Amino acid sequence: MSDPREARLPRMGVGTQRATFLELFLDLVFVFALTRVTQRLVTDFTTEQRILVSEVGQTLLLFLALWLIWATNAYLTSRLDPETPVVVFVMVLTMFGSMVMAIAVPQGFSERALIFAGAYVAVQLGRTLALLVVAGGGQDPENPAALPRVLIWTGLTAVPWLVGGSAGQGPVRGVLWSLALGLDYAGLTLGWPVPRLTDLMIDDR
């Protein structure tokens, strides 16, 4: 039986890395998502909107959420073997979630807001939990406590995403989602710092 920790090993090969079928299919899903974002943006400019800046801002927020999903998945598959079961599961989850988000984009700030937010949170939490389980608690010698830190950040940002999605139409949703997305990008940029777990990482080294 193969060791499930193999899912955390870097991609093999010293030459160019060939994309797998799932990676290519995920790219196609993201292209579809871009067409949906473009469709919404065209609607913003071709219909009589009372507050055009607000509508464009909403479309930009939806796009940035989709882009973050795609970018983090691309980073993940560039570092891990994409043919291991856990990474395949993560990519399938990401594809399904991204497709749901893309379909919801035109009404992403109205009737389908909770669907968009739910799919986003499911992808963010689902892939972290899957990797955490396979990693046996996340104790990677090169970066201990990394996955638990990511899980804490995504768990915290899931609250404003879901609350904003269930809130009625109005400025509350935009404020909550902007806060959540800003925290998601801040976590990615800063390395998802959590004081006690960050100290554990330093001490273990």
Side-chain angles (χ1 to χ4, degrees):
M1 180 180 296
S2 60
D3 188 348
R5 295 175 186 270
E6 291 177 358
R8 296 182 290 118
L9 294 176
R11 295 185 70 153
M12 303 301 293
V14 295
T16 58
Q17 298 175 347
R18 298 183 59 183
T20 64
F21 171 79
L22 284 177
E23 289 176 285
L24 294 175
F25 192 78
L26 180 58
D27 288 341
L28 289 178
V29 171
F30 187 70
V31 170
F32 169 71
L34 287 179
T35 63
R36 300 288 284 182
V37 171
T38 302
Q39 176 187 349
R40 179 185 169 93
L41 192 61
V42 169
T43 302
D44 291 341
F45 282 97
T46 57
T47 58
E48 295 182 0
Q49 301 288 352
R50 293 182 178 179
I51 308 177
L52 180 59
V53 174
S54 175
E55 295 293 331
V56 173
Q58 293 174 3
T59 302
L60 177 61
L61 192 152
L62 297 175
F63 165 74
L64 289 176
L66 282 162
W67 187 87
L68 184 61
I69 291 290
W70 178 85
T72 50
N73 189 80
Y75 174 78
L76 175 69
T77 55
S78 71
R79 294 183 60 86
L80 304 180
D81 185 352
E83 296 183 353
T84 53
V86 66
V87 180
V88 170
F89 170 78
V90 167
M91 285 194 289
V92 171
L93 173 66
T94 303
M95 282 189 295
F96 180 76
S98 299
M99 182 67 73
V100 173
M101 291 169 66
I103 294 173
V105 159
Q107 294 84 35
F109 254 86
S110 53
E111 294 86 355
R112 296 179 178 175
L114 187 57
I115 295 176
F116 184 91
Y120 178 88
V121 170
V123 172
Q124 292 284 67
L125 287 177
R127 64 184 174 193
T128 305
L129 284 170
L131 292 171
L132 187 60
V133 170
V134 172
Q139 297 302 317
D140 189 333
E142 297 181 357
N143 195 9
L147 288 174
R149 295 201 320 270
V150 175
L151 184 61
I152 290 173
W153 273 74
T154 53
L156 288 175
T157 60
V159 176
W161 273 113
L162 295 176
V163 172
S166 59
Q169 296 187 39
V172 174
R173 177 172 296 154
V175 171
L176 289 175
W177 280 10
S178 296
L179 173 63
L181 188 63
L183 289 174
D184 283 333
Y185 273 91
L188 178 64
T189 302
L190 299 175
W192 301 279
V194 176
R196 291 183 179 275
L197 292 179
T198 301
D199 293 340
L200 172 63
M201 180 180 69
I202 296 174
D203 292 342
D204 286 351
R205 288 181 177 177

